[in-house]
């Protein structure tokens, strides 16, 4: 609805930029009837002009420190003009509503709060329709009443809140509580709780008395067993949930026992007292009864259990175990090694499980066997019977040597698998020689060779088993040697090795380099392996040769014969220079492949000049050219060979230099480099940046490579150039010539503003690509004004507009170039101000805002709250945008308005004009009119400053 204030407040709003953020803080809210409440500001504020409203009615107005009561002011409401706190004394329900604070000068602020006044809860009373009830039969109703406003009703049963659902119903806004078919858990205590926003009260507690049962009957036996031993004593006890307490009586097998009460005792019981015992409970109020039955079982115990075998257990034979029990038996079970047994294809049970029968015993039947006999009150296991199955002998084995030497003693051993352990006897050639598992012979002779037999016997199973060893007695082998009979091993010639030994030799084996030798590739053995023949020796026959002579009991290996095949000389070579410089000393090396090492002799043009594999010359002269020959001789093979080298002598190369003359390297012009050197120059090679140069892309070489020509230089020709002059014995490389190609100026640019304001200084920068660096000159409209790459003007005037030209000159290439910038000098904008056509912006009236600009400008536009502002149905702009017209002001037009003037230099933004539209109060008293005149006089200095 806008700002509804007295008219005299409008004057201060003209220069207010915007509303001040503020909230109101009450001392309490909601508040009880008859108490006091103070409404304060969230933070201090300076409000020379302001008011308090209650709804749309004025409570207080003030200007400076003068306070004026409004039309809705009444007793009990006061204002603190220093803090602007509003205090309400002894509030009533009519004090509820919206309270508004407004400030207009020098700050603008508005805040509101809704105050809620409530009457406290009192006179809480609750009643119940009845208190003595029977479970599941009766329904009860609770009713609650109270004074106060507003009211919320709830119920509690003990510490738990009562909620509607199922048997529970709430009605009349929670005042009425109905519970249908009450249960024992509905006894309470119940209470009613009434509350509003400022208070809470509870009714007195109410309890119900609910009769129930009997239910959940239970018989407990002490002791509590599944079955009882004859002679025991048992105490039976019966319990039930019931209100009031239930009465009890007992029956046995459906017959009354004339026993009344919750307990019944049995003493020295016998097996014929087994049967069902029933307890019956009755409630005299609910007229209900219930019964529960427990069966008691009584038995005599087992006194003794034992396992007996049927005979001796033998493998593959049948066998039985019997379980003997003293006392009544319900069941018998058998165990092996504490694991229960079950009938299968190997065992069966007879005579009510009292007999365990094995069809055929196996070794896996070994173990500890027990039988367990049980009835309802006892369970006894026998002592373990250890079943051990007898077997064998099987796997009878005789061990001992097959072959021994004459005079030795031999030990034979016999073993077998048997239970119990077998008895052993030894036989040789049909005669018994020992009774034990081990037999040791006397010193053996050759006629002691033959068959030795062991017999194993088990006296329980009656089984016998034999095993034998065949023995041979021999003499050992000794004195093994390899012989070569003074032969000399030479490549491609035959060679023979012979093996000799003492003793009974059964076999001879040859070895090469500790590996057994199988004849192949021209190597053969004699029929008894004693002779090893090489048809034609080769280098692969080199090695350590041994022979091994052996029989079944011994072997002997010869010392190694080291076979080294002699050969050569082969592959003779002479190494040394073929070209050398005069005055130098040369070394020639002669090598040949030969065993043993060859002897060497040197010859120069058929004249012997030295011996040995290396020949070093004296200082050379021109007559030392010619043929140098080396002769190699092997004294063992009798073979000799020759090798030669031809020597030529030359003068060395030195002092290589690169010359450019007096040329200046300029881009796109020809250029020449020349290489000179001393000595016998045979070849010249050019390098660029340490890489060998192959002429291409406009670069050529003279026929002898001494001159390097560039047809038209380019920037890629920059680099370090060397030349290398050489012959077969020497070379010389020049120092580097650093070629730098001059160019430019290119790509000239002038950087600087094109528009400037009078009185300012402008900086222009000139650049150009050039080698060497260009020299720069500046011109203003053809008049020279400065030198160097940077030109800074003096303070500008309008006559300094025009063309600024930079000229760049390269003194080496002789080339110059120009670049320009056009500068326009204008006067700047000095101020932009927004002014309204009236001081008081009243709602539903028009308002004009004018943009006043000092200085030349190109265009004007407006901003509202820093956003672009466009015309609409209620807002129009003049043709040049200098004036904004509001046809009918409304609060939607409130905001911060700015005018923006733009010239070629920049935008200029005015200070904001804060528009706050004011709604006049329709009921302005005569007294307020008089105050208006006084307020204008008070605020006139402020208005004058704003204008």
């Amino acid at each position: 609805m806008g700002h509804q204030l007295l008219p005299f407040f409008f004057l201060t709003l003209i220069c207010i930029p915007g509303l001040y953020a503020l909230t109101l803080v009450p001392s309490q809210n909601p508040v009880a009837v008859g108490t006091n409440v103070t409404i304060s500001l969230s933070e201090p504020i300076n409000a020379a002009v302001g008011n308090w409203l209650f709804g749309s009615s004025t409570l207080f107005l003030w200007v400076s420190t003068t306070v004026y009561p409004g039309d809705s002011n009444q007793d009990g409401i006061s204002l603190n003009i220093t803090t602007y706190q509003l205090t309400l004394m002894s509030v009533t329900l009519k004090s509820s509503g919206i309270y508004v604070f407004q400030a207009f000068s020098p700050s603008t602020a508005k805040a509101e709060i809704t105050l809620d006044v409530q009457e406290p809860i009192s006179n809480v009373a609750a009643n119940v329709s009845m208190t003595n009830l029977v479970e599941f039969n009766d329904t009860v109703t609770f009713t609650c009443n109270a004074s106060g406003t507003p009211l919320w009703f709830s119920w509690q049963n003990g510490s738990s809140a009562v909620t509607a659902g199922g048997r529970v119903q709430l009605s009349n806004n929670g005042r009425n509580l109905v519970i249908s078919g009450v249960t024992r858990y509905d006894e309470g205590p119940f209470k009613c709780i009434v509350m509003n926003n400022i208070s809470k009260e509870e009714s007195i507690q109410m309890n119900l008395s609910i009769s129930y049962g009997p239910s959940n009957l239970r018989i407990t036996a002490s002791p509590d067993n599944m079955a009882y031993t004859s002679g025991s004593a048992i105490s039976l006890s019966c319990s039930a949930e019931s209100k009031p307490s239930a009465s009890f009586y007992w029956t046995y097998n459906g017959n009354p026992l004339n026993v009344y009460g919750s307990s019944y005792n049995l003493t020295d019981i016998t097996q014929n007292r087994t049967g069902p015992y029933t307890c019956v409970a009755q409630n005299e109020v609910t007229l209900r009864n219930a019964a529960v039955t427990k069966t008691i079982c009584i038995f005599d115990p087992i006194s003794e259990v034992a396992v007996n075998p049927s005979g001796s257990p033998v493998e593959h034979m049948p066998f039985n175990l019997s379980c003997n029990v003293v006392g009544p038996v319900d069941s018998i079970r058998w165990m092996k090694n504490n694991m229960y047994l079950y009938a299968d294809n190997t065992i069966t049970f007879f005579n009510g499980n009292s007999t365990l029968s094995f069809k055929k015993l196996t070794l896996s039947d070994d173990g500890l066997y027990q039988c367990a006999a049980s009835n309802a009150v006892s369970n006894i296991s026998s002592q373990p019977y250890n079943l051990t199955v007898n077997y064998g002998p099987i796997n009878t084995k005789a061990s001992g040597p097959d072959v021994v030497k004459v005079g030795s003693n031999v030990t034979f051993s016999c073993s077998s698998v048997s239970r119990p352990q077998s008895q052993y006897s030894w036989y040789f050639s049909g005669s018994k020689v020992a009774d034990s598992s081990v037999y040791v012979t006397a010193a053996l002779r050759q006629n002691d060779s033959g068959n030795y037999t062991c017999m194993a016997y088990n006296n329980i199973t009656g089984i016998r088993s034999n095993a034998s060893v065949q023995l041979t007695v021999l003499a050992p082998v000794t004195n093994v040697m390899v012989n070569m009979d003074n032969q000399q091993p030479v490549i491609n010639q035959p060679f023979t090795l012979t093996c000799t030994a003492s003793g009974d030799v059964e076999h001879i084996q040859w070895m090469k380099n500790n590996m057994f030798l199988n004849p192949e590739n021209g190597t053969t053995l004699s029929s008894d392996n004693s002779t090893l023949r090489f048809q034609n020796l080769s280098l692969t026959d080199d090695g350590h040769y041994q022979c091994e002579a052996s029989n079944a009991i011994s072997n002997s290996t010869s010392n190694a014969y080291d076979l080294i095949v002699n050969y050569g000389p082969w592959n003779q070579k002479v190494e040394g220079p073929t070209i050398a410089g005069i005055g130098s000393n040369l070394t020639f090396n002669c090598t040949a492949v030969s065993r043993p090492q060859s002897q060497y002799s040197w010859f120069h043009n058929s004249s012997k000049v030295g011996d040995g594999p290396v020949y070093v010359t004296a200082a050379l002269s021109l007559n030392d050219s010619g043929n140098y020959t080396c002769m190699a001789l092997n004294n063992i093979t009798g073979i000799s060979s020759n090798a030669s080298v031809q020597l030529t002598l030359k003068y060395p190369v030195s002092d290589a230099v690169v010359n450019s003359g007096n040329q200046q390297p300029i881009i796109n012009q020809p250029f020449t480099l020349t290489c000179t050197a001393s000595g016998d120059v045979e070849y010249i090679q050019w390098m660029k940046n340490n890489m060998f140069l192959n002429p291409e892309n406009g670069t050529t070489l003279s026929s002898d490579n001494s001159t390097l020509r560039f047809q038209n230089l380019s920037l890629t020709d920059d680099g370090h150039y060397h030349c290398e002059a050489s012959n077969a014995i020497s070379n010389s490389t020049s120092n580097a010539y650093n070629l730098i190609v001059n160019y430019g100026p290119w790509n000239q640019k002038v950087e600087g503003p094109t528009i400037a304001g009078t009185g300012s200084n402008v900086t222009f920068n000139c650049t150009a690509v050039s080698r060497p660096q260009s020299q720069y000159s500046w011109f203003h409209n053809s008049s020279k004004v400065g030198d160097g790459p940077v030109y800074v003007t003096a303070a500008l005037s309008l006559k300094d507009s025009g063309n600024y030209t930079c000229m760049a000159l390269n003194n080496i290439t002789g080339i110059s170039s120009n670049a320009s910038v056009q500068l326009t000098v204008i006067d700047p904008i000095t101020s932009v101000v927004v002014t309204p056509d009236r001081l008081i912006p009243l709602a539903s009236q028009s308002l004009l805002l004018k943009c006043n600009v000092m200085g030349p400008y190109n265009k004007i536009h407006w901003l509202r709250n820093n956003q672009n502002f466009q015309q609409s149905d209620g807002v129009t702009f003049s043709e040049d945008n200098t004036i904004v017209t509001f046809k009918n002001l409304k609060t939607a037009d409130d905001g911060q308005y700015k005018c923006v003037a733009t010239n070629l230099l920049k935008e200029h933004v005015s200070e904001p004009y804060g528009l706050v539209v004011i709604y006049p109060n329709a009921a302005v008293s005569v007294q307020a009119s008089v105050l208006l005149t006084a307020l204008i006089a008070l605020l006139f200095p402020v208005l004058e400053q704003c204008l």
Side-chain angles (χ1 to χ4, degrees):
M1 292 297 295
H3 309 280
Q4 298 190 9
L5 303 175
L6 292 176
F8 53 74
F9 296 124
F10 302 161
L11 298 177
T12 62
L13 300 178
I14 296 174
C15 60
I16 295 172
L19 292 175
Y20 186 88
L22 190 68
T23 58
L24 299 180
V25 180
S27 58
Q28 54 181 317
N29 192 20
V31 59
V33 170
T35 59
N36 304 332
V37 63
T38 298
I39 304 175
S40 305
L41 308 184
S42 61
E43 56 185 272
I45 188 173
N46 185 10
V49 179
N51 70 348
W52 274 98
L53 303 177
F54 176 51
S56 60
S57 301
T58 302
L59 292 174
F60 292 102
L61 314 168
W62 65 88
V63 178
S64 187
T65 58
T66 304
V67 179
Y68 304 96
D71 53 2
S72 63
N73 191 17
Q74 53 187 290
D75 292 340
I77 303 178
S78 62
L79 172 67
N80 185 331
I81 194 58
T82 302
T83 61
Y84 311 115
Q85 288 179 329
L86 185 68
T87 300
L88 290 77
M89 307 294 291
S90 299
V91 295
T92 66
L93 294 177
K94 293 182 179 180
S95 300
S96 296
I98 299 175
Y99 290 81
V100 182
F101 170 84
Q102 298 184 115
F104 304 102
S105 175
S107 300
T108 303
K110 179 180 179 181
E112 65 179 42
I113 190 171
T114 300
L115 189 66
D116 185 11
V117 180
Q118 296 185 4
E119 183 179 356
I121 301 299
S122 63
N123 302 324
V124 177
N127 54 72
V128 61
S129 59
M130 56 189 302
T131 58
N132 293 317
L133 306 103
V134 174
E135 187 178 35
F136 308 131
N137 292 350
D138 296 329
T139 295
V140 66
T141 300
F142 295 91
T143 303
C144 185
N145 294 291
S147 301
T149 181
L151 301 177
W152 291 276
F153 292 87
S154 63
W155 294 86
Q156 276 191 341
N157 180 357
S159 60
S160 302
V162 178
T163 57
R167 300 180 299 106
V168 180
Q169 296 180 355
L170 294 172
S171 61
N172 194 16
N173 196 28
R175 285 180 170 86
N176 297 330
L177 167 63
V178 177
I179 303 176
S180 302
V182 294
T183 70
R184 66 193 70 181
Y185 308 107
D186 296 328
E187 289 190 334
F190 288 87
K191 64 181 176 181
C192 171
I193 303 171
V194 187
M195 60 186 298
N196 60 17
N197 288 329
I198 62 170
S199 62
K200 173 182 176 182
E201 293 292 336
E202 298 179 355
S203 71
I204 61 172
Q205 293 184 345
M206 298 171 288
N207 289 287
L208 302 179
S209 178
I210 300 175
S211 298
Y212 56 85
S215 61
N216 299 327
L217 267 68
R218 180 179 173 188
I219 294 178
T220 303
S222 179
D224 188 10
N225 299 328
M226 294 293 293
Y228 297 89
T229 304
S230 298
S232 301
I234 306 172
S235 177
L236 300 180
S237 177
C238 186
S239 63
E241 295 179 9
S242 177
K243 183 178 179 182
S245 298
S247 59
F248 302 94
Y249 66 91
W250 295 83
T251 67
Y252 170 65
N253 280 331
N255 300 314
L257 291 173
N258 295 322
V259 175
Y260 298 91
S262 60
S263 298
Y264 175 50
N265 296 321
L266 292 87
T267 60
D268 195 19
I269 56 177
T270 57
Q271 192 166 338
N272 60 4
R273 294 300 303 274
T274 294
Y277 291 80
T278 301
C279 168
V280 180
Q282 294 178 323
N283 185 320
E284 62 183 8
V285 175
T286 64
L287 303 179
R288 297 171 185 156
N289 59 67
V292 61
T293 299
K294 184 177 182 66
T295 299
I296 302 299
C297 299
I298 304 165
F299 297 92
D300 294 330
I302 295 171
S303 60
E304 185 180 350
V305 179
V307 174
N308 295 314
S310 61
S312 294
V314 176
E315 187 181 20
H316 305 308
M317 301 295 290
F319 186 72
N320 290 335
L321 292 176
S322 298
C323 183
N324 298 321
V325 182
V326 177
V329 177
D330 288 342
S331 68
I332 294 176
R333 298 196 66 180
W334 287 87
M335 292 174 287
K336 176 185 177 183
N337 299 329
N338 295 318
M339 300 292 291
Y340 284 110
L341 291 173
Y342 299 94
D344 56 21
N345 59 351
T346 63
I347 61 172
T348 56
F349 301 100
F350 298 103
N351 302 324
N353 278 13
S354 64
T355 299
L356 168 61
S357 178
F358 297 86
K359 296 180 181 179
K360 286 186 179 181
L361 284 173
T362 66
L363 297 182
S364 63
D365 293 324
D366 281 0
L368 298 177
Y369 288 80
Q370 293 174 273
C371 68
S374 65
N375 60 21
V377 295
S378 60
N379 185 357
I380 298 179
S381 297
S382 68
Q383 290 296 317
Y385 169 76
N386 187 7
L387 174 59
T388 302
V389 179
N390 298 293
Y391 61 90
I394 58 175
N395 299 328
T396 302
K397 294 179 181 178
S399 61
D402 297 329
V403 181
V404 296
K405 64 182 178 180
V406 173
S408 61
N409 300 95
V410 172
T411 300
F412 294 103
S413 295
C414 189
S415 64
S416 65
V417 178
S418 175
R419 185 186 290 157
Q421 183 62 49
S422 294
Q423 298 173 357
Y424 299 95
S425 299
W426 283 93
Y427 297 85
F428 173 63
S429 297
S431 298
K432 185 175 183 181
V433 294
D435 283 313
S436 66
S437 61
V438 176
Y439 169 48
V440 180
T441 70
L444 294 172
R445 300 164 298 174
Q446 285 188 340
N447 58 0
D448 290 326
S449 297
N451 194 46
Y452 289 80
T453 301
C454 168
M455 183 183 70
Y457 173 68
N458 186 330
N459 60 1
I460 299 298
T461 64
I463 299 174
R464 290 178 172 83
S465 176
N466 295 336
S468 299
V469 176
Q470 184 67 36
L471 178 65
T472 302
V473 182
L474 297 174
V477 176
T478 60
N479 301 323
V480 181
M481 297 179 60
V482 174
N483 302 297
M484 45 84 70
D485 299 330
N486 297 321
Q487 304 170 86
Q488 194 67 262
V490 176
I491 195 167
N492 296 323
Q493 295 184 16
F495 191 72
T496 301
L497 294 176
T498 303
C499 182
T500 61
S502 301
D504 294 334
V505 176
E506 293 181 340
H507 182 68
I508 293 176
Q509 174 71 52
W510 288 87
M511 290 173 286
K512 177 183 178 182
N513 299 328
N514 296 316
M515 301 290 291
F516 286 110
L517 180 63
N518 292 315
E520 59 182 355
N521 298 328
T523 304
T524 61
L525 289 172
S526 61
S527 60
D528 60 355
N529 281 9
S530 63
T531 302
L532 173 63
R533 296 185 179 91
F534 300 88
Q535 295 179 11
N536 291 292
L537 283 173
S538 68
L539 295 181
T540 58
D541 293 325
D542 280 0
H544 300 283
Y545 287 81
Q546 295 172 279
C547 70
E548 179 188 75
S550 64
N551 59 23
I553 62 161
S554 64
N555 65 74
S556 180
T557 302
S558 70
N559 292 328
Y561 169 76
D562 190 12
L563 175 59
I564 300 175
V565 179
N566 299 293
Y567 59 87
W570 299 335
N571 303 328
Q572 186 177 359
K573 293 181 182 179
V574 173
E575 294 180 346
T578 59
I579 301 174
I582 293 172
S584 62
N585 298 93
L586 298 182
T587 299
F588 294 99
N589 289 280
C590 187
T591 60
V593 179
S594 175
R595 186 187 287 158
Q597 181 65 47
S598 294
Q599 298 176 354
Y600 299 95
S601 300
W602 289 92
F603 300 86
H604 176 222
N605 296 330
S606 302
S607 298
K608 185 174 181 179
V609 294
D611 291 304
V614 178
Y615 172 58
V616 181
T617 69
L620 295 171
S621 63
L622 282 176
N623 6 339
D624 290 323
S625 296
N627 194 48
Y628 286 82
T629 300
C630 170
M631 183 181 72
L633 173 65
N634 186 328
N635 289 331
I636 299 299
T637 65
I639 300 173
S640 66
S641 67
N642 295 332
S644 300
V645 64
Q646 186 69 32
L647 178 64
T648 302
L649 297 177
K650 291 181 177 289
Y651 287 98
V653 176
S654 63
D655 303 324
V657 177
V658 175
N659 300 301
S660 66
N662 294 322
Q663 305 171 89
Q664 194 66 261
I666 297 174
I667 197 167
N668 297 325
Q669 294 187 17
F671 190 71
T672 302
L673 294 177
T674 303
C675 182
T676 61
S678 301
D680 294 335
V681 177
E682 294 180 343
Y683 183 71
I684 294 176
Q685 174 70 54
W686 287 87
M687 291 172 285
K688 176 183 178 183
N689 297 330
N690 297 317
M691 301 290 290
F692 285 110
L693 180 64
N694 294 316
E696 59 183 355
N697 298 330
T699 304
T700 61
L701 291 172
S702 60
S703 60
D704 61 353
N705 279 12
S706 63
T707 301
L708 174 62
R709 296 185 179 93
F710 300 87
Q711 295 179 10
N712 291 294
L713 284 172
S714 68
L715 294 182
T716 60
D717 294 323
D718 282 358
H720 297 278
Y721 288 81
H722 298 76
C723 73
E724 180 186 77
S726 63
N727 60 20
I729 63 167
S730 63
N731 64 73
S732 178
T733 302
S734 70
N735 291 328
Y737 173 80
N738 189 13
L739 175 58
I740 300 176
V741 179
N742 299 293
Y743 59 86
W746 299 335
N747 302 330
Q748 187 178 358
K749 293 181 183 178
V750 173
E751 295 180 346
T754 58
I755 300 173
T758 56
S760 64
N761 301 93
V762 171
T763 299
F764 295 103
N765 289 279
C766 187
T767 58
V769 178
S770 175
R771 183 190 287 160
Q773 183 64 48
S774 294
Q775 298 176 352
Y776 299 94
S777 301
W778 289 90
F779 300 87
H780 175 221
N781 295 334
S782 302
S783 297
K784 185 174 181 179
V785 293
D787 292 304
V790 179
Y791 172 58
V792 181
T793 68
L796 295 171
S797 62
L798 293 177
K799 65 182 177 60
D800 291 320
S801 296
N803 194 49
Y804 287 81
T805 301
C806 169
M807 182 180 73
L809 172 64
N810 186 328
N811 289 333
I812 300 299
T813 64
I815 300 173
S816 64
S817 65
N818 296 332
S820 301
V821 63
Q822 187 71 29
L823 177 66
T824 301
V825 182
I826 63 175
D827 289 325
I829 296 173
T830 57
S831 69
V832 180
V833 178
V834 176
T835 58
D837 68 334
R838 60 174 66 217
L839 298 179
I840 304 172
L842 296 177
S844 301
Q845 295 186 6
S846 65
L847 175 68
L848 275 66
L849 299 180
K850 182 177 182 181
C851 183
N852 302 292
V853 183
M854 297 296 293
Y857 63 89
N858 299 100
K859 63 177 182 178
I860 291 175
H861 71 277
W862 291 80
L863 300 175
R864 178 173 181 264
N865 297 330
N866 293 319
Q867 301 291 324
N868 285 329
F869 180 44
Q870 304 293 335
Q871 70 179 16
S872 61
D873 292 340
V875 180
T876 60
F877 291 81
S878 62
E879 185 174 353
D880 58 359
N881 271 14
T882 57
I883 298 175
V884 178
T885 302
F886 298 85
K887 297 178 183 178
N888 294 290
L889 285 173
K890 51 187 180 294
T891 55
D893 296 321
D894 287 357
Q896 301 289 319
Y897 290 83
K898 297 179 183 179
C899 169
V900 182
T902 306
N903 63 12
L904 295 176
L905 289 176
K906 65 176 184 177
E907 290 185 344
H908 293 262
V909 183
S910 70
E911 290 297 320
Y913 167 76
L915 174 58
V916 179
V917 179
I918 305 300
Y919 276 77
N921 193 334
V924 180
S925 65
V926 175
Q927 181 183 12
S929 299
V930 175
L931 291 175
L932 176 59
T933 303
L935 181 58
I936 292 173
L938 177 65
L939 300 179
F940 183 77
V942 177
L943 297 174
E944 187 177 38
Q945 183 178 0
C946 292
L947 296 175

